[in-house]
Amino acid sequence: MNSLPAQPNQSLIDGVRLLQRLAITQEPLAVTLLARELGLEITRTNRLVKTLAHLGLAYRTQSRKYAAGPAMHVLAAQSLFGSGLIQRALPHLEKLSSQGHIVALGVLWEDQISYLYHWSPGLPTYAGLGRVAVCPAERSGMGIILLAQNSDEALASILRRHRSANNSSYRKLMINIRRARKTGYGEFMAGNSRSLALALGTPPYAALALSGRIRSSKVAQKVAILSQTKAAIEEVMNK
Amino acid sequence: MNSLPAQPNQSLIDGVRLLQRLAITQEPLAVTLLARELGLEITRTNRLVKTLAHLGLAYRTQSRKYAAGPAMHVLAAQSLFGSGLIQRALPHLEKLSSQGHIVALGVLWEDQISYLYHWSPGLPTYAGLGRVAVCPAERSGMGIILLAQNSDEALASILRRHRSANNSSYRKLMINIRRARKTGYGEFMAGNSRSLALALGTPPYAALALSGRIRSSKVAQKVAILSQTKAAIEEVMNK
DNA sequence: ATTCATATTGCTAAAATAGCAATATTGAGC
DNA sequence: GCTCAATATTGCTATTTTAGCAATATGAAT
């Protein structure tokens, strides 16, 4: 993202990754699992997680597993403001409600999509916040368009590190990614539900999606609507 | 918050503090200022901030100042879910709208209150999110009730580290804190606007407030209403 | 252009961490 | 309850990383 400093601090880098991993699921995780998932040594992981626990950012259960701690509320408040994306995007996302589809705003982390907003018809607008955990990027329109920004090598390196090594799903993903690069939008089908997504920002920092039973004949129209919202959000973000 | 690990990682601790400091204001900050504010050495600060910049969590302006970076959106999405507080509190906060006052949900960090939610009459519910930056804890009902949880020594240590060393304001704060400990709610007057706040959770992890032109005769009634909301939020948080 | 303030890096002493091996703790199965 | 196996945690010291000085670079202001 930026030039490496003279002395990049590996403890900070991996500590933040652990923090992020703890944040995205509710279930408490064992140190061994955390270490394996992030490719870290166990003792080191244990100490970093305990440091996070000391800060209140992690919480140790009786069975010595770790989950998000109470200071996560503090970090949420701070990063919510620091990001400013939800605050500025919400008025525009709300306007998409009338489409009758799921509306989502998400970000890519490693090989996962996290949702800033995930709204289904019938819910009040405010209920879309922090409602949904994560989705594997390869099974998400947003994931596909965000992954598509990477070079094939960078992509391979991301995917190699995660269980996504499965060959058949990898090939499917690459097909979707190549199409996304050509069309400019991410598309993923799950059963007869279609997810359409556009990236926000250059370089992209988030993505925007509509999901539901969208017929092929309506795709261009829905993408055009997403484009308007994309432009509107990018405009307020560039101020 | 938790027992110190065998090898607490100071880089992670201070790196996270820097991250938090960058998140809570929009203006880019010079390294010197960051270092002074957090009581850190300049070279170290420079390297930690550059590591954050490498992760995308900080952004370096042309004039070599640092602000929140694009990965802050990612952290916001993750911590929003990891915290779960906004998601679960919003339906209850919305019910407070009919009171005709400002409704807020905030957290304490060092000597500052950050807002998860800060809603004013006339706004849509969703607009209360991430709208307001920070407020010095000593000038906030929420700040007072949250600071009141600390022992006098812990309190002195928090305040000593910050510019709040001002004697007259310190004395006023202590009066407010002692009253809060007795009454169980935080109260702060700014002009003729009154702010009333209750802490959430044991130990408290956040606070809830109503602010506006609240007459003395109405205080007990408003505190009772806040208590109901507090109980409702605590209940959903304990599941 | 020159000056000043601040950011950044090179360098090495000093301090913190890594990671092994040992120990402690917990949960599962008797 | 007891034993065993799996996992977490810590003590220890070699190794690595960081701290912080001094030097340099980079901008901004004049």
Side-chain angles (χ1 to χ4, degrees), chain B residues 85-158:
Chain B
L85 178 54
I86 318 182
Q87 150 74 8
R88 288 183 257 190
L90 266 176
H92 303 288
L93 294 175
E94 195 197 20
K95 288 181 197 152
L96 290 176
S97 303
S98 59
Q99 295 298 315
H101 299 303
I102 290 171
V103 177
L105 178 66
V107 294
L108 178 68
W109 182 71
E110 312 233 332
D111 66 337
Q112 304 274 341
I113 291 293
S114 279
Y115 297 91
L116 277 162
Y117 184 77
H118 191 289
W119 177 89
S120 293
L123 292 175
T125 298
Y126 68 76
L129 288 144
R131 191 170 64 91
V132 169
V134 286
C135 171
E138 64 191 74
R139 289 197 269 137
S140 148
M142 294 198 287
I144 287 162
I145 190 63
L146 288 174
L147 284 174
Q149 313 294 326
N150 295 286
S151 67
D152 279 7
E153 306 90 65
L155 213 49
S157 134
I158 293 170

Side-chain angles (χ1 to χ4, degrees), chain B residues 33-47:
Chain B
L33 189 77
L34 280 167
R36 191 169 345 123
E37 246 187 76
L38 301 190
L40 305 175
E41 200 271 342
I42 291 178
T43 304
R44 201 164 98 90
T45 303
N46 186 53
R47 283 166 179 158

Side-chain angles (χ1 to χ4, degrees), chain A residues 159-195:
Chain A
L159 298 176
R160 203 175 323 117
R161 239 177 307 131
H162 300 275
R163 34 89 243 256
S164 332
N166 178 329
N167 242 342
S168 122
S169 77
Y170 175 75
R171 220 166 305 135
K172 280 185 203 160
L173 173 61
M174 287 313 296
I175 291 171
N176 284 328
I177 284 181
R178 295 225 175 79
R179 180 165 50 199
R181 283 182 184 145
K182 196 147 52 171
T183 62
Y185 63 87
E187 180 168 11
F188 185 77
M189 299 292 303
N192 47 21
S193 171
R194 187 192 304 269
S195 167

Side-chain angles (χ1 to χ4, degrees), chain B residues 35-216:
Chain B
R36 191 169 345 123
E37 246 187 76
L38 301 190
L40 305 175
E41 200 271 342
I42 291 178
T43 304
R44 201 164 98 90
T45 303
N46 186 53
R47 283 166 179 158
L48 288 172
V49 171
K50 274 184 122 53
T51 300
L52 291 176
H54 172 66
L55 296 175
L57 288 165
Y59 164 76
R60 203 190 85 135
T61 66
Q62 288 178 333
S63 58
R64 298 186 295 174
K65 294 183 175 189
Y66 292 87
M72 194 63 77
H73 305 314
V74 179
L75 193 61
Q78 294 169 322
S79 59
L80 194 65
F81 178 85
S83 151
L85 178 54
I86 318 182
Q87 150 74 8
R88 288 183 257 190
L90 266 176
H92 303 288
L93 294 175
E94 195 197 20
K95 288 181 197 152
L96 290 176
S97 303
S98 59
Q99 295 298 315
H101 299 303
I102 290 171
V103 177
L105 178 66
V107 294
L108 178 68
W109 182 71
E110 312 233 332
D111 66 337
Q112 304 274 341
I113 291 293
S114 279
Y115 297 91
L116 277 162
Y117 184 77
H118 191 289
W119 177 89
S120 293
L123 292 175
T125 298
Y126 68 76
L129 288 144
R131 191 170 64 91
V132 169
V134 286
C135 171
E138 64 191 74
R139 289 197 269 137
S140 148
M142 294 198 287
I144 287 162
I145 190 63
L146 288 174
L147 284 174
Q149 313 294 326
N150 295 286
S151 67
D152 279 7
E153 306 90 65
L155 213 49
S157 134
I158 293 170
L159 299 176
R160 202 175 322 117
R161 239 177 308 131
H162 299 276
R163 54 30 300 221
S164 332
N166 178 331
N167 242 343
S168 120
S169 77
Y170 176 75
R171 221 168 302 135
K172 279 184 203 160
L173 173 60
M174 288 313 295
I175 291 171
N176 284 329
I177 284 182
R178 295 223 174 78
R179 180 164 52 199
R181 284 182 183 145
K182 197 147 52 173
T183 62
Y185 62 87
E187 181 169 10
F188 185 77
M189 299 292 304
N192 47 20
S193 171
R194 186 194 305 269
S195 165
L196 296 171
L198 290 184
L200 289 175
T202 44
Y205 46 76
L208 188 62
L210 283 175
S211 305
R213 298 210 174 178
I214 300 171
R215 275 175 295 167
S216 306

